[in-house]
Amino acid sequence: MNFLLDEVARATLRLAEAGVDSPRTDAEELAAFVHGVRRGELHQVADSDFDALYWECVARRAAREPLQHITGRAYFRYLELRVGPGVFTPRPETEMMVDWAIEALRAMDVADPVVADLGTGSGAIAISIAQEVPRSRVHAVELDPGALAWAERNIDASGHRERVTAHHGDLRTALPELDGRVDMVVSNPPYVPTGQAAAVPPEVRDHDPAPALWAGADGLDMIRDLEAVGRRLLRPGGAMAIEHGDGQGIDIPPLFPEERGWRDVRNRKDLARRDRFVAMRRADD
């Protein structure tokens, strides 16, 4: 074992003691970041090249600063995104919702599908759809100016600027020019109940923007609003997908009743087989 790997082992213990969920992975990610190599190349770093900055990064992670804020990057599907303070860090759980949305778009008989990503944050969802559905036109809406700046940066870096348009605005009133014309609405809205702050990990509670987290006593305030937004934006036969939290799956389908024109309202599961997002479509005329 070289010196760096020995230090990674020590860092793993420190992170585990601090309550970090994935101490070995995070210790290796930080080592790779500091030394400019891949995780699988850590053994190639010469002992003389060890950088003491590594332990500064480990200390920040042990204080429960998000790994992505330390490295400045987050991975989402096929993307490497720039993230940091002021923007919600994209989670792997959301990838399943995006996968569903992409497959639904590909199955539509639409040459140039129009997509609305409401509450885009870093732009992860919008850029992924633009990248994987090549003729799509994606409108990414974000209210927070700080988060919107991160989205703009990631859109520019992605090379899909001609098909992803960022909009500064409230998702509840955004894109009136597209009323009745959108093929897919997708959203990862705030859904954490305001009374559950103590149960939220410090990486989330103390570092993700508050507007991206809290959504009323039951966490469903924004999802209730999205029901009306979906009815306004979607064309007949269009589809919508909305992420939600653990335990909320049973309460959301009744918010999208058939008498309001919703069909095929179903909860879908994430990689851990937990209800993670609800998907539905607008009735055909």
Side-chain angles (χ1 to χ4, degrees):
M1 181 180 293
N2 66 9
F3 183 74
L4 177 56
L5 290 180
D6 187 52
E7 295 299 276
V8 166
R10 292 176 55 209
T12 299
L13 292 175
R14 180 171 177 181
L15 296 181
E17 291 170 355
V20 173
D21 284 341
S22 52
R24 181 72 188 190
T25 296
D26 287 17
E28 291 180 352
E29 285 284 358
L30 291 173
F33 165 68
V34 168
H35 295 91
V37 298
R38 300 177 184 274
R39 282 176 60 193
E41 299 171 340
L42 294 176
H43 66 283
Q44 298 177 9
V45 176
D47 292 355
S48 58
D49 291 334
F50 176 77
D51 191 333
L53 175 63
Y54 177 58
W55 279 104
E56 294 181 28
C57 293
V58 170
R60 292 170 64 185
R61 186 69 188 101
R64 305 303 290 273
E65 184 176 348
L67 173 71
Q68 296 86 352
H69 284 198
I70 301 169
T71 64
R73 63 194 182 198
Y75 299 100
F76 188 87
R77 293 182 69 83
Y78 304 105
L79 303 174
E80 180 178 317
L81 302 164
R82 309 310 300 177
V83 296
V87 69
F88 184 82
T89 301
R91 307 312 201 257
E93 294 86 354
T94 305
E95 295 187 20
M96 296 302 294
M97 179 178 69
V98 175
D99 190 66
W100 180 90
I102 288 169
E103 291 303 315
L105 285 166
R106 289 172 175 169
M108 290 180 180
D109 187 18
V110 179
D112 302 290
V114 177
V115 180
D117 172 21
L118 303 181
T120 195
S122 67
I125 293 174
I127 300 168
S128 290
I129 290 174
Q131 178 171 284
E132 298 179 55
V133 186
R135 294 179 63 88
S136 59
R137 303 287 176 173
V138 187
H139 297 267
V141 177
E142 177 56 54
L143 179 61
D144 184 89
L148 185 65
W150 286 105
E152 294 271 18
R153 190 176 300 124
N154 285 319
I155 292 167
D156 286 338
S158 75
H160 297 297
R161 169 57 73 179
E162 76 283 359
R163 290 191 298 105
V164 183
T165 303
H167 302 262
H168 179 225
D170 190 320
L171 64 84
R172 292 167 290 193
T173 57
L175 309 176
E177 69 277 12
L178 295 179
D179 285 358
R181 297 171 48 202
V182 176
D183 298 292
M184 172 71 68
V185 171
V186 62
S187 181
N188 181 10
Y191 53 71
V192 182
T194 51
Q196 292 188 3
V200 176
E203 289 90 342
V204 177
R205 182 185 64 241
D206 300 336
H207 295 278
D208 278 327
L213 299 177
W214 315 111
D218 61 0
L220 301 180
D221 283 2
M222 189 60 76
I223 294 176
R224 292 187 183 93
D225 291 336
L226 281 168
E227 189 276 328
V229 177
R231 279 191 285 116
R232 174 173 63 85
L233 288 176
L234 286 172
R235 63 163 174 82
M240 182 157 69
I242 304 171
E243 183 167 329
H244 59 72
D246 291 346
Q248 294 176 328
I250 193 171
D251 298 317
I252 295 177
L255 302 179
F256 297 84
E258 188 171 339
E259 55 266 28
R260 292 185 186 173
W262 295 106
R263 301 289 185 270
D264 305 327
V265 182
R266 287 183 53 194
N267 264 294
R268 308 276 176 158
K269 299 185 182 299
D270 62 18
L271 293 172
R273 306 304 301 164
R274 296 173 298 191
D275 287 345
R276 178 54 56 190
F277 67 98
V278 64
M280 69 287 287
R281 67 178 181 87
R282 291 292 289 150
D284 297 317
D285 280 346

